[in-house]
Amino acid sequence: MKKFNLVLLLILVVGKLFAQTEATLELPSKSSDLVISRHIYGQFSEHLGRSIYGGFVVGDDVNVPKQNRIRLDVVDALKKIKIPNLRWPGGCFADEYHWRDAIGPLKDRLKMINTNWGNVTEDNSFGTHEFLDLCSMLNCEPYIAGNVGSGTVQEMSNWIEYLNLDGESSMTEMRKQNGRDKPWNVTFWGVGNESWGCGGDMTAQFYSDQYKRYAVYARDYPGAKLKKIATGPTDDDYNWTQTLMKNVGTKMWGLSLHHYSLPKGSWGDKGSATNFDEKLYFNTLKSGLFMDELITKHSAIMDKYDPKRNVALVVDEWGVWTNVEPGTNPGFLYQQNSMRDALLAASTLNIFNNHCERVKMANLAQTVNVLQALVLTDKEKMLLTPTYYVFDLYKVHQDAQYLPLKLTSPDYVFGTAKLPAINASASKDKNGVTHISLVNIDPLKKIIAKIDMGNANLKFQNGQILTSEKFTDINTFEKPYKIKNVVFKNVKISGTQLAVALPPLSVVMIELK
């Protein structure tokens, strides 16, 4: 009897390991009117650690090609993935930043202490003009976060006038004296940041009243109709969304949402960026996939007050947040970037794509040398992280027609918990090319994704894959190309069905026409 029970147990275990190793997807029979906004693929750079200084901006002692101190290898890398917008100057830093301190001759700029991030001295050598020059070099739109926490209505109003007025005023005269004749016409404008916390510790009711006051004096000028973005909730603070939608409604272009994936679920010991086991891997992906529920529930509240969906949900801070790398300044938030982080990024972007009816903008935190960065630098050295390569794969979705997939996925099981092993999104670009992005988060199983193309009469053109043997694998300055996109051809076609073999820990993009 014991021998029989042991055999039965082995059969059950083996059956569990190999059961449901297929996912099914179905392309829609009719086209969608929805478009995946390119601004979902936005980035975020705060005056924090080595994001600006040592990241984008370097001195003469760093021997790399540069233009006005901005390193061109970083610019070229970001241009390749077509970043659509860049959020600045924060973050928490935005609500202690006074823009007039950082314009004019460098020798005359006022220094300050960056109290949020390490109590280092901010010399304000990178200010409004330098940021907008950077955006011009990147061919992206600026997204400026205004100071509500420690600033004034007049300060914000003057900044917008300085940026956008093509006329005669003291602000435009100051702008011209500082070397800029024509306005920049900046449209994306954040009215504060995290006003429930580092941006002023406000209640939702108090902030909603403050937003309306600031928004009145955030003027539209010819050629620059503002897209005002209100501070939204953190995570599952649904009361904040309810209050803002009730009191502000469509007087804002967008409502922000912040959600970070913490491997240990704690703001204390968050866990290592490189030394973690499957439990922390699973927890991180679970926290990342929670984004779908957050967007669904916040959107439902927004739908109640805005059924025509005029107000965008702007997820302008998201990503993995771990402990800093050992030996680095804890206030600089410098962390490595693993295959796990790439899988989370790809899964999150699939979620945003699948909620493109409400999510119109998002910003990964952050672009260079901070948190889940796309780029890491060390003096002359530069590397592209696994997360960078996800954005390179997914750039094909920008401003493409959304295709809603019907997906059935097997489970990725860890202990008594489980997650969908496969997530995906799809779009059709202006040339009629269909792209399907597929993610397999299971660290052990290869999964066959069977895609029913219906009557679309599509043929496989090519594919790319991002994968690695272990979820802790990283790119280093010594081995910068360990994880990168390579050609993918493991696709079989039978009639109107496509079978895509997804290795464990993989992100795959296939192209059909």
Side-chain angles (χ1 to χ4, degrees):
M1 180 65 70
K2 288 183 178 179
K3 183 177 180 180
F4 176 77
N5 287 341
L6 180 60
V7 171
L8 181 61
L9 179 62
L10 286 172
I11 292 172
L12 290 173
V13 169
V14 171
K16 183 178 180 182
L17 285 173
F18 291 97
Q20 293 190 345
T21 54
E22 288 186 356
T24 61
L25 300 93
E26 183 180 334
L27 283 170
S29 57
K30 294 182 179 180
S31 298
S32 165
D33 293 331
L34 295 171
V35 171
I36 298 172
S37 171
R38 69 184 184 280
H39 290 294
I40 283 173
Y41 294 85
Q43 302 300 321
F44 173 33
S45 284
E46 184 170 4
H47 285 249
L48 196 174
R50 295 189 301 111
S51 171
I52 302 296
Y53 308 109
F56 278 113
V57 174
V58 292
D60 293 336
D61 58 325
V62 179
N63 187 24
V64 295
K66 60 181 84 70
Q67 180 178 323
N68 296 330
R69 301 186 302 142
I70 295 173
R71 59 185 298 166
L72 296 180
D73 53 355
V74 172
V75 168
D76 289 342
L78 297 176
K79 285 173 67 177
K80 182 178 183 294
I81 62 173
K82 299 180 180 179
I83 72 166
N85 66 75
L86 185 62
R87 182 173 181 246
W88 172 88
C92 293
F93 181 79
D95 282 292
E96 63 176 359
Y97 180 72
H98 301 283
W99 67 275
R100 287 198 188 188
D101 295 347
I103 58 174
L106 295 183
K107 63 181 179 61
D108 296 334
R109 298 189 184 186
L110 300 182
K111 294 180 173 64
M112 62 177 286
I113 298 298
N114 190 337
T115 60
N116 282 288
W117 306 119
N119 286 321
V120 296
T121 297
E122 165 64 57
D123 68 4
N124 276 320
S125 62
F126 187 91
T128 297
H129 288 253
E130 290 79 16
F131 170 66
L132 294 169
D133 284 347
L134 171 62
C135 289
S136 178
M137 294 168 67
L138 291 168
N139 295 327
C140 77
E141 291 195 48
Y143 169 17
I144 292 180
N147 183 344
V148 171
S150 69
T152 65
V153 171
Q154 182 177 357
E155 181 180 19
M156 185 181 293
S157 178
N158 286 346
W159 199 4
I160 296 168
E161 184 180 330
Y162 185 90
L163 293 168
N164 292 347
L165 176 62
D166 189 7
E168 294 185 11
S169 74
S170 60
M171 290 297 105
T172 60
E173 285 303 312
M174 188 188 307
R175 183 184 72 218
K176 292 173 184 177
Q177 290 171 10
N178 291 328
R180 176 77 181 193
D181 184 34
K182 291 295 182 181
W184 288 280
N185 294 332
V186 176
T187 59
F188 289 117
W189 194 264
V191 183
N193 166 77
E194 294 191 355
S195 301
W196 35 263
C198 65
D201 199 19
M202 304 177 194
T203 65
Q205 180 65 52
F206 182 81
Y207 172 75
S208 67
D209 291 338
Q210 290 298 302
Y211 172 87
K212 287 187 287 187
R213 188 166 71 98
Y214 274 76
V216 166
Y217 298 97
R219 306 291 192 188
D220 291 337
Y221 294 103
K225 182 175 176 58
L226 295 187
K227 295 174 181 175
K228 302 167 193 173
I229 299 168
T231 289
T234 178
D235 301 302
D236 57 355
D237 185 353
Y238 301 115
N239 176 67
W240 189 282
T241 298
Q242 172 86 16
T243 303
L244 265 290
M245 291 305 301
K246 180 180 179 181
N247 294 342
V248 177
T250 56
K251 293 179 181 178
M252 53 186 167
W253 179 84
L255 180 70
S256 74
L257 169 65
H258 291 181
H259 173 63
Y260 287 97
S261 300
L262 309 177
K264 289 190 175 182
S266 166
W267 286 104
D269 179 10
K270 295 179 282 292
S272 169
T274 57
N275 183 20
F276 54 90
D277 57 16
E278 188 177 355
K279 179 180 178 180
L280 291 188
Y281 168 78
F282 184 92
N283 288 349
T284 308
L285 270 294
K286 180 181 178 181
S287 179
L289 293 174
F290 183 53
M291 182 71 80
D292 186 65
E293 180 179 327
L294 289 173
I295 292 173
T296 299
K297 291 186 175 181
H298 284 294
S299 294
I301 296 169
M302 296 174 76
D303 287 347
K304 178 181 175 181
Y305 297 94
D306 176 33
K308 294 184 179 180
R309 294 172 177 164
N310 292 315
V311 179
L313 188 59
V314 178
V315 191
D316 55 15
E317 289 190 31
W318 66 273
V320 178
W321 193 325
T322 71
N323 295 335
V324 301
E325 290 303 294
T328 65
N329 188 323
F332 282 11
L333 305 187
Y334 177 79
Q335 64 188 50
Q336 250 290 359
N337 192 290
S338 68
M339 187 64 214
R340 171 195 64 182
D341 303 339
L343 293 163
L344 181 137
S347 301
T348 303
L349 291 172
N350 280 338
I351 291 170
F352 293 161
N353 290 347
N354 289 325
H355 283 281
C356 64
E357 79 289 345
R358 182 62 82 173
V359 178
K360 303 296 182 184
M361 190 174 188
N363 300 82
L364 175 71
Q366 296 185 10
T367 316
V368 185
N369 289 335
V370 173
L371 298 177
Q372 192 175 347
L374 300 180
V375 178
L376 301 179
T377 66
D378 180 12
K379 296 182 180 178
E380 283 80 11
K381 298 176 183 177
M382 185 196 80
L383 68 80
L384 306 177
T385 68
T387 297
Y388 172 92
Y389 288 105
V390 169
F391 276 81
D392 192 25
L393 281 181
Y394 277 56
K395 65 188 178 186
V396 294
H397 288 309
Q398 293 188 23
D399 285 341
Q401 182 185 37
Y402 171 63
L403 300 176
L405 293 169
K406 291 183 180 178
L407 169 64
T408 302
S409 170
D411 291 326
Y412 161 38
V413 179
F414 178 75
T416 59
K418 61 184 179 181
L419 293 169
I422 304 297
N423 62 79
S425 66
S427 67
K428 182 189 291 186
D429 69 17
K430 61 182 180 181
N431 297 316
V433 179
T434 294
H435 293 98
I436 303 176
S437 47
L438 301 149
V439 181
N440 179 9
I441 66 171
D442 196 305
L444 300 174
K445 294 180 184 176
K446 178 178 78 172
I447 296 176
I448 306 299
K450 292 188 173 180
I451 304 172
D452 185 353
M453 297 181 289
N455 58 1
N457 194 29
L458 297 171
K459 291 182 172 57
F460 174 71
Q461 301 296 308
N462 54 62
Q464 293 186 76
I465 184 171
L466 183 72
T467 189
S468 200
E469 182 181 356
K470 296 181 290 187
F471 44 62
T472 52
D473 284 345
I474 60 174
N475 290 338
T476 66
F477 293 113
E478 293 71 33
K479 295 182 178 180
Y481 302 111
K482 180 179 179 65
I483 305 173
K484 65 177 183 177
N485 298 330
V486 296
V487 173
F488 177 78
K489 295 182 178 179
N490 205 346
V491 176
K492 295 181 179 179
I493 301 177
S494 177
T496 61
Q497 191 172 82
L498 206 66
V500 184
L502 303 173
L505 305 173
S506 64
V507 183
V508 169
M509 180 69 73
I510 61 170
E511 181 178 299
L512 309 170
K513 190 173 183 180

